[in-house]
Amino acid sequence: MATKTEDEPRRLRDIINMAQMILSSSPNNDESTTITINMKETPALNEVYWESKKKAIEMEQMVLRWLGFDCSVSHPHRAVVWILETLMGDESKTPNERIESVVSLSSRRLNDALFYPRALQWGVIEMACAAIDLAVEEQVFSTDTKSHNSANLESIFKKKWWKQCGISDLDFNECRKNLVQATEYLKSMATKKKG
């Protein structure tokens, strides 16, 4: 399905063969767990192949139904820009250090979410709103609270601004919590690698 949506279709037989070759290969004994694939012999057309083909087709149909046959991909990064343009109007179109900072901090939060499955359960708009809110909070608290920039941000992103995007308080708060957890998770993984 992924190859079809990216306009790079592959024969199902080729995909099944590659999966079988990878799954049947044994990793080397070293710690890098390099996988070697036997490319000399393709898997036989036996019961295993036909069962794999049947399961792949069934799974593809199930996923397509679950997606409502809509395979277009939307990214919350683009929604961040759209939401900022909607809320800030013409001010968002002029180069502005404050807006660039919100976009940058929001993008960082959204990138962290890619490695945290609970955060990925949310829709594009929910994730974008939560990332913007976290970015605004981070920027407001990291700058002088008496400065014009932080005061202006606080006035634009006043209480419950996400309701303008059709997001409920419950969904917003849960999504925001998951984005925070995603960042904390990545920080803990980085600490473990160093230690």
Side-chain angles (χ1 to χ4, degrees):
M1 192 170 82
T3 63
K4 290 176 188 175
T5 59
E6 293 296 321
D7 291 327
E8 294 288 337
R10 301 284 187 269
R11 289 180 39 215
L12 187 54
R13 175 152 171 75
D14 295 338
I15 294 169
I16 291 170
N17 286 347
M18 184 57 68
Q20 286 180 352
M21 286 188 275
I22 290 172
L23 294 173
S24 66
S25 65
S26 58
N28 295 339
N29 291 332
D30 66 355
E31 289 185 18
S32 66
T33 53
T34 304
I35 296 175
T36 56
I37 302 171
N38 179 5
M39 299 295 282
K40 294 177 184 173
E41 296 179 27
T42 58
L45 284 172
N46 56 18
E47 282 297 314
V48 173
Y49 167 77
W50 293 110
E51 187 61 29
S52 297
K53 183 174 180 176
K54 179 183 169 191
K55 285 181 181 178
I57 292 169
E58 287 172 356
M59 183 60 69
E60 181 181 35
Q61 288 299 310
M62 184 182 79
V63 170
L64 283 170
R65 284 188 194 102
W66 183 70
L67 293 173
F69 290 87
D70 180 11
C71 295
S72 58
V73 177
S74 298
H75 297 282
H77 298 75
R78 295 171 94 187
V80 164
V81 175
W82 172 77
I83 291 168
L84 289 173
E85 286 175 357
T86 302
L87 293 176
M88 299 180 84
D90 291 334
E91 186 182 349
S92 69
K93 294 179 179 154
T94 58
N96 185 320
E97 181 182 315
R98 186 168 34 102
I99 294 168
E100 289 173 12
S101 177
V102 170
V103 171
S104 176
L105 293 169
S106 297
S107 294
R108 194 175 324 153
R109 290 288 184 167
L110 293 170
N111 291 342
D112 290 351
L114 293 172
F115 301 97
Y116 194 70
R118 270 188 249 155
L120 293 175
Q121 73 181 338
W122 297 103
V124 169
I125 303 299
E126 287 92 343
M127 288 181 71
C129 286
I132 290 170
D133 197 62
L134 289 166
V136 168
E137 180 181 277
E138 187 175 339
Q139 188 176 17
V140 167
F141 287 116
S142 68
T143 60
D144 179 18
T145 55
K146 294 180 181 178
S147 76
H148 172 71
N149 285 348
S150 62
N152 198 7
L153 272 178
E154 285 181 306
S155 68
I156 292 168
F157 296 98
K158 55 188 172 253
K159 192 170 183 166
K160 300 194 181 198
W161 62 268
W162 53 87
K163 293 225 179 223
Q164 295 175 38
C165 298
I167 308 299
S168 72
D169 289 343
L170 179 64
D171 287 347
F172 174 79
N173 290 327
E174 284 298 311
C175 182
R176 190 178 193 281
K177 182 175 84 173
N178 287 155
L179 288 183
V180 169
Q181 290 170 341
T183 300
E184 290 170 355
Y185 170 75
L186 284 179
K187 285 179 182 176
S188 72
M189 294 303 290
T191 305
K192 285 180 185 177
K193 281 189 175 186
K194 288 180 183 178

